[in-house]
Amino acid sequence: MLKTLMGAVALSLAASFAMANDFPKQDLQGVIQWGAGGSTDLVMRSVAPHVEKELGRSIVMTNKTGGVGVIATQFVSTQPADGYTLLMSAENPQLYKVMGLSNLDYSNFYPVNVLARGIPVIVANKDAPFNTFKELVEYVQKNPGKVRMGSTGPGGLPSVVGSMLSSKLDFKVTAVPFDGDGPALTAMQGGAVEFMPAVLGAAVEHVKAGRIKILAIFDKQASPVLPDARPITADYPQFESLLPWGPFFGVFVKSETPDDVKAKLVDAFKKGANNEAFQKLLSDRGYVSMNVSGDEANSFLKKWQSTTSWVVYDAGMGKKSPEEFGIPKP
């Protein structure tokens, strides 16, 4: 019996080694959490060609939208832990538990690479009757509940920023959900909503082309990408206690994936993310490059979850206390 057990263990280890040693022997699947044209889609489709060169295989990318990214996250969680299915996602899973959306978060996955973080901005339809954030606040207060704000659903960046705004201001608006900031920005240009919080990287080209207008940078300082845009704290210093804050974008595999496979993916994405063209795209779009994995990425993820979960809960948007899940208060 002992010999049989030892033989089975040896065969299992040999199989794992062979799988890792041959990895990848087929193309990979990249499951993008959000819709085409948004921040997550842009970052992932921009880094993928450089990673493919390192792996020697293609990454077949699919936008699997819905449920603030829950559908994509749950899909990847049901796939084999072999490294061939990548979750290409944003910050949202770190809020699923407090929002009551899913029992999953990034503790169920391994961070192959947290590629970059973004800076939120407040943007508006070019014909909206306000040209600054201060004018927007005044307009909203004169028309409570009537101004439409583009959203990506509960726990998405617009809803989190919206909660932060309403926690410090009399700011009653009506949220209209879309499958990502790309579709929301397109809808805003057509007049479906008057304004929305978005990621600078997804909005900047629309602003420069005059398709939309920027009302404020949701940060303590201006951005070199749009230096004339005022930081929100210029008119409302009460937001300083919440800033800096922003989204992030990363690539994940199931936590049970063999270590050697993880190592190959980490190496490929590290080199791919260091590519000069990708770094230029991040800089030009106003993203902040991170390019971290493993323990360093997990430390960042836990800190982000702690800060944001409590902000969301204290603002009355969370359905469950972070305390229930052992998420410490910062």
Side-chain angles (χ1 to χ4, degrees):
M1 165 105 46
L2 182 59
K3 285 184 177 180
T4 303
L5 180 60
M6 291 177 67
V9 171
L11 284 171
S12 176
L13 289 172
S16 294
F17 177 78
M19 183 177 75
N21 199 41
D22 293 343
F23 182 86
K25 55 186 177 183
Q26 65 189 49
D27 291 343
L28 286 71
Q29 182 180 14
V31 181
I32 303 175
Q33 208 179 42
W34 291 101
S39 305
T40 310
D41 186 69
L42 171 67
V43 171
M44 298 307 163
R45 291 186 186 276
S46 298
V47 76
H50 310 302
V51 178
E52 289 173 334
K53 290 177 183 177
E54 300 297 331
L55 290 172
R57 293 285 181 178
S58 296
I59 301 174
V60 181
M61 307 178 82
T62 305
N63 297 87
K64 193 174 285 289
T65 64
V68 198
V70 171
I71 290 175
T73 306
Q74 289 183 334
F75 173 79
V76 174
S77 76
T78 64
Q79 300 305 297
D82 55 11
Y84 284 99
T85 306
L86 309 175
L87 177 61
M88 298 181 138
S89 51
E91 70 282 355
N92 317 93
Q94 292 299 74
L95 295 176
Y96 287 167
K97 290 180 177 179
V98 296
M99 297 299 299
L101 296 172
S102 172
N103 290 324
L104 294 171
D105 64 12
Y106 284 135
S107 65
N108 300 102
F109 298 87
Y110 176 81
V112 172
N113 198 303
V114 177
L115 295 159
R117 57 183 177 86
I119 298 170
V121 292
I122 313 295
V123 290
N125 178 283
K126 65 178 183 179
D127 297 320
F130 34 78
N131 294 307
T132 67
F133 182 70
K134 190 172 183 180
E135 289 179 4
L136 168 63
V137 171
E138 293 169 352
Y139 188 81
V140 166
Q141 290 173 349
K142 290 177 183 176
N143 300 275
K146 295 181 180 179
V147 181
R148 297 164 298 173
M149 179 186 81
S151 176
T152 55
L157 178 140
S159 70
V160 174
V161 173
S163 291
M164 292 178 173
L165 295 177
S166 61
S167 73
K168 302 289 185 182
L169 300 167
D170 178 13
F171 197 76
K172 296 180 177 64
V173 298
T174 297
V176 180
F178 299 90
D179 279 336
D181 54 359
L185 286 166
T186 300
M188 186 176 71
Q189 292 173 52
V193 295
E194 282 79 32
F195 84 101
M196 67 175 289
V199 184
L200 174 59
V204 62
E205 294 304 314
H206 294 299
V207 173
K208 288 182 176 179
R211 292 188 288 268
I212 61 177
K213 56 188 175 185
I214 187 163
L215 306 181
I217 302 283
F218 195 69
D219 203 358
K220 294 181 181 181
Q221 56 191 24
S223 168
V225 176
L226 292 172
D228 295 333
R230 287 167 64 84
I232 194 168
T233 51
D235 293 309
Y236 299 96
Q238 61 265 46
F239 287 103
E240 286 190 12
S241 63
L242 300 177
L243 301 172
W245 181 89
F248 60 85
F249 313 96
V251 179
F252 300 81
V253 291
K254 290 180 70 170
S255 56
E256 304 87 352
T257 302
D259 287 345
D260 285 352
V261 172
K262 290 176 183 173
K264 286 195 172 185
L265 287 169
V266 167
D267 182 64
F269 272 91
K270 182 114 184 141
K271 291 175 179 174
N274 271 330
N275 180 274
E276 186 177 346
F278 180 66
Q279 288 295 316
K280 184 177 187 302
L281 175 131
L282 293 181
S283 178
D284 289 349
R285 293 288 188 127
Y287 296 111
V288 179
S289 177
M290 293 186 66
N291 200 5
V292 298
S293 60
D295 290 343
E296 187 177 358
N298 274 323
S299 178
F300 168 80
L301 293 170
K302 288 176 182 177
K303 182 178 179 182
W304 191 98
Q305 185 179 48
S306 172
T307 300
T308 311
S309 294
W310 281 99
V311 165
V312 164
Y313 181 70
D314 289 342
M317 193 173 75
K319 292 186 177 180
K320 298 182 179 180
S321 169
E323 209 167 23
E324 186 177 330
F325 307 104
I327 300 172
K329 200 163 192 174

